[in-house]
Amino acid sequence: MLVVNMAMKQDDVIAVLEENGYKFVEKKGIRLFFETDGDLNEKAAEAKALIKAQPWGAALFFNVEVAKS
């Protein structure tokens, strides 16, 4: 599972990642949880790149991490 930690534009991030095959699971405060298939470290890097590629993405302060089970 991946976690995107961010305070702003959460709905936009959910939409972008869902369009690219990530499944939104839940929101806990500033933490957005997503399920995805494949190598989680690669998917975390891909998710970060997808967010930064948006017109508003470069201005956001956020990180993407692999959730510890």
Side-chain angles (χ1 to χ4, degrees):
M1 185 168 301
L2 296 180
V3 182
V4 179
N5 298 300
M6 64 184 328
M8 300 177 68
K9 301 292 251 178
Q10 290 182 334
D11 292 335
D12 293 326
V13 168
I14 291 168
V16 166
L17 293 182
E18 284 188 326
E19 288 173 6
N20 287 280
Y22 296 79
K23 182 178 183 277
F24 177 67
V25 177
E26 69 178 322
K27 174 183 168 184
K28 290 184 180 177
I30 66 167
R31 301 182 70 168
L32 305 174
F33 293 84
F34 294 87
E35 289 181 347
T36 186
D37 293 329
D39 181 271
L40 290 178
N41 290 318
E42 289 178 11
K43 289 293 191 172
E46 178 184 72
K48 186 173 181 178
L50 287 168
I51 295 168
K52 286 189 171 259
Q54 303 307 307
W56 40 262
L60 295 177
F61 178 74
F62 71 97
N63 76 332
V64 182
E65 62 184 332
V66 176
K68 296 174 178 49
S69 300

